[in-house]
Amino acid sequence: METTLRGVGVSHGVAIGEVRHMGTAVLEPPAKQIPSDEAPREQGRARQAVEAVAADLIARGNLAGGEAQHVLEAQAMMAQDPELQADVERRIAVGSSAERAVYDAFASYRALLANAGEYLAGRVADLDDVRNRIVARLLGVPMPGVPDSDEPYVLIARDLAPADTALLDPTLVLGFVTEEGGPTSHSAILARALGVPAVVAMPGAGEITEGTVIAVDGSTGELFVNPSAEKRAELEEAAAARRASLSATSGPGATSDGHKVPLLANVGGPGDVPAALEAGAEGVGLFRTEFLFLDDSAKAPSEEKQVEAYRKVLEAFPEGRVVVRVLDAGADKPLDFLTPADEPNPALGVRGLRSLLDHPDVLQTQLRALAKAAEGLPVHLEVMAPMVADRIDAKAFADACREAGLRAKFGAMVEIPSAALRARSILQEVEFLSLGTNDLAQYTFAADRQVGAVSRLQDPWQPALLDLVAAAADAAKAEGRSCGVCGEAAADPLLACVLTGLGVTSLSMGAASIPYVRATLAKYTLAQCERAAVAARATDTADEARRAAQAVLSGE
């Protein structure tokens, strides 16, 4: 009997195949006491297991490259956290075995995250995965991970850790579904990078029996259990139509009546550039520079190292636009040399531009490196600050850029509601705005972007979020400035049309989404996009907004 479940579609495409579930998580080790004279040996075992797991994660990152590499390197740093290691050794010293000490130390750290208001809860899946890998190595049992199979399948998991998602084989894993997670989780971002259809935040998916045939639509978020022949044909026909539409559309992004909407790529380092070029990106709308700083959390990378990495990306887009976000540290990306270790609520504390203004030497080094990297290149370099709250922040950043001798446009990210509401004031100091819709939604709705339980509030179709986008876009238009979107909202082809109708001047996304957005924009006029935007903002829920926009664009 065919049944339908609904989650949040995060990566386009249709997958039809048999279900395979993730391997069983590592069981809780027994709580047994060890003699005191065995403590040194157990402490040594724990250290060796930690180093082996960290090395494995780094190796996986090197294989995966791109966005996945810096995610996995951050996980390796989590495994090697000095405070966690000290806690493990303390527990062993009072009688715990190595595996039990690791299990309990990670459980304690997990509880600390929850007590901090769950602003770091988005990394709980990563934390659990590190724990499971260390405990598995100590117990001598197989690592948790994707199942072995000779035949293609659709993977179902409670959640997917980055180490698993990064190395999925698209020839075997047709698509995946998770019960938890959100549209901006690491798994969702990496799924889009891989081009694997995916749906997240789907409660009940784990109850589907192994071997059951399902159909997953990563565009609509629907899952069909035991789909009928008619439903399979319908889904495959729709997928074929999407592919045909993609191949028929090329060139710069534009509406059907010629209104230009540059389509840019979000990149996490030089490794993401080939995919962006292949997708026809017109430049880079978000160059995340954190990958350079995650190699060593104790100190910032040298100016020379930064120049080398930045120039590789700038050289790839001659005459193109490259928008660089300066270091966005803090909250879920803590750095020992930069961010406070004892903040009770890190996401609402000293992060992003606030951290850099507290450490002007770090900011100046990065800005000088960007200036040197762009020397002699025809690229249009733009540099923006994360987490700008008001005009004072914007002025401080613009002054720092001038002090560093940076010949580029200076901009501000709109991720805090105050920045959207007072965008015109901020534009007295900077030359462009870029909307980070992931964080903007998080702060607008007080809903952690990685917590599946509040994923409906992270839906970028929420009318309140569209209101803030409109406010920022209107302010930019009034000041004769540009206002792009570099959050994951831009990757939704239908929403891309609405954002265009709201007055957004460019869209930046993961490379895999660019062809879908290009093809969809090319179907509609600017006037249609504007009417769809008005219809979406006139509703009260995300689902209503989506349906209203679809109705306008389909001529209903």
Side-chain angles (χ1 to χ4, degrees):
M1 175 180 175
E2 180 180 312
T3 57
T4 304
L5 299 176
R6 180 178 287 276
V8 178
V10 296
S11 185
H12 303 294
V14 171
I16 301 175
E18 292 187 1
V19 167
R20 295 287 183 274
H21 289 277
M22 281 287 289
T24 305
V26 176
L27 298 176
E28 181 178 346
K32 64 179 182 180
Q33 288 290 110
I34 62 167
S36 59
D37 60 351
E38 291 185 15
R41 180 177 67 85
E42 290 295 289
Q43 289 170 339
R45 288 181 63 227
R47 286 192 294 270
Q48 289 173 3
V50 165
E51 291 306 316
V53 167
D56 178 63
L57 290 168
I58 290 171
R60 286 169 176 257
N62 290 336
L63 283 173
E67 178 77 22
Q69 184 168 2
H70 79 259
V71 170
L72 294 179
E73 287 173 349
Q75 244 192 320
M77 288 170 56
M78 186 183 289
Q80 296 170 307
D81 182 273
E83 290 187 14
L84 265 174
Q85 290 195 50
D87 191 17
V88 169
E89 297 203 359
R90 282 195 298 269
R91 292 173 187 274
I92 293 173
V94 296
S96 284
S97 66
E99 47 267 37
R100 184 70 206 192
V102 168
Y103 187 90
D104 289 340
F106 273 77
S108 177
Y109 189 49
R110 204 177 197 274
L112 285 175
L113 298 186
N115 291 336
E118 289 196 314
Y119 280 98
L120 295 182
R123 297 298 170 259
V124 164
D126 300 20
L127 185 70
D128 289 346
D129 182 59
V130 171
R131 176 204 64 201
N132 289 348
R133 290 174 184 278
I134 297 171
V135 172
R137 185 169 290 274
L138 288 166
L139 291 174
V141 300
M143 288 284 175
V146 296
D148 290 329
S149 176
D150 294 329
E151 298 296 326
Y153 60 90
V154 179
L155 180 65
I156 292 182
R158 182 181 64 81
D159 205 346
L160 277 172
D164 296 318
T165 315
L167 295 182
L168 288 178
D169 182 351
T171 63
L172 286 175
V173 181
L174 302 172
F176 70 76
V177 179
T178 64
E179 294 187 275
E180 299 182 0
T184 59
S185 67
H186 277 157
S187 293
I189 292 170
L190 295 178
R192 285 188 283 270
L194 288 166
V196 177
V199 177
V200 300
M202 183 178 282
E207 299 172 12
I208 301 174
T209 306
E210 184 106 358
T212 302
V213 174
I214 63 172
V216 178
D217 190 329
S219 300
T220 65
E222 293 174 304
L223 182 155
F224 304 93
V225 181
N226 294 315
S228 64
E230 292 78 8
K231 174 58 70 176
R232 288 197 199 193
E234 175 188 329
L235 290 170
E236 288 170 347
E237 183 178 340
R242 287 182 195 135
R243 288 194 296 271
S245 177
L246 296 183
S247 61
T249 310
S250 61
T255 58
S256 63
D257 56 340
H259 175 73
K260 293 182 179 180
V261 187
L263 302 181
L264 312 171
N266 294 343
V267 303
D272 290 338
V273 168
L277 293 172
E278 185 178 350
E282 297 168 59
V284 173
L286 172 61
F287 179 9
R288 304 181 184 94
T289 57
E290 290 75 39
F291 75 102
L292 275 170
F293 293 79
L294 293 172
D295 288 342
D296 184 351
S297 67
K299 64 179 187 298
S302 68
E303 186 174 317
E304 293 72 22
K305 182 176 181 181
Q306 292 188 54
V307 170
E308 181 183 0
Y310 301 151
R311 194 169 180 89
K312 287 179 181 177
V313 175
L314 297 178
E315 286 176 335
F317 294 93
E319 306 293 342
R321 178 186 180 201
V322 176
V323 184
V324 180
R325 180 181 70 190
V326 294
L327 176 62
D328 184 14
D332 62 342
K333 293 174 289 213
L335 293 172
D336 294 344
F337 67 91
L338 196 67
T339 50
D342 55 354
E343 284 189 303
N345 211 336
L348 299 182
V350 183
R351 65 165 293 195
L353 179 61
R354 298 167 188 173
S355 294
L356 293 174
L357 294 178
D358 280 353
H359 297 80
D361 55 324
V362 176
L363 177 57
Q364 282 296 308
T365 299
Q366 184 169 26
L367 293 175
R368 286 197 306 269
L370 285 165
K372 290 180 180 179
E375 284 179 1
L377 297 179
V379 67
H380 300 287
L381 174 63
E382 302 184 13
V383 182
M384 61 184 179
M387 304 302 294
V388 170
D390 57 13
R391 182 173 179 174
I392 293 174
D393 280 351
K395 183 178 187 306
F397 179 66
D399 288 346
C401 289
R402 295 186 190 98
E403 183 182 341
L406 188 63
R407 295 182 179 179
K409 285 187 176 181
F410 318 143
M413 291 198 70
V414 177
E415 302 166 283
I416 302 173
S418 63
L421 296 170
R422 301 289 295 175
R424 197 160 183 178
S425 171
I426 287 171
L427 284 167
Q428 304 310 303
E429 306 294 342
V430 296
E431 300 173 87
F432 69 93
L433 300 177
S434 183
L435 288 144
T437 52
N438 306 344
D439 269 323
L440 185 58
Q442 171 173 252
Y443 291 122
T444 299
F445 297 103
D448 191 294
R449 55 188 279 190
Q450 302 291 339
V451 176
V454 293
S455 62
R456 77 171 185 85
L457 296 171
Q458 268 294 325
D459 192 325
W461 281 94
Q462 285 284 355
L465 188 65
L466 299 181
D467 288 345
L468 290 174
V469 172
D474 287 346
K477 184 177 181 180
E479 294 295 328
R481 305 294 194 183
S482 63
C483 178
V485 169
C486 64
E488 292 300 317
D492 179 335
L494 181 62
L495 185 51
C497 295
V498 169
L499 294 173
T500 299
L502 291 173
V504 165
T505 56
S506 65
L507 298 166
S508 189
M509 65 209 76
S513 298
I514 291 175
Y516 291 92
V517 172
R518 181 190 292 117
T520 304
L521 271 177
K523 294 178 183 178
Y524 307 109
T525 64
L526 176 60
Q528 286 176 298
C529 293
E530 290 172 339
R531 289 196 296 273
V534 169
R537 289 182 66 195
T539 65
D540 295 314
T541 71
D543 285 342
E544 289 174 357
R546 189 181 287 105
R547 287 195 295 270
Q550 183 65 70
V552 169
L553 294 177
S554 62
E556 295 177 10

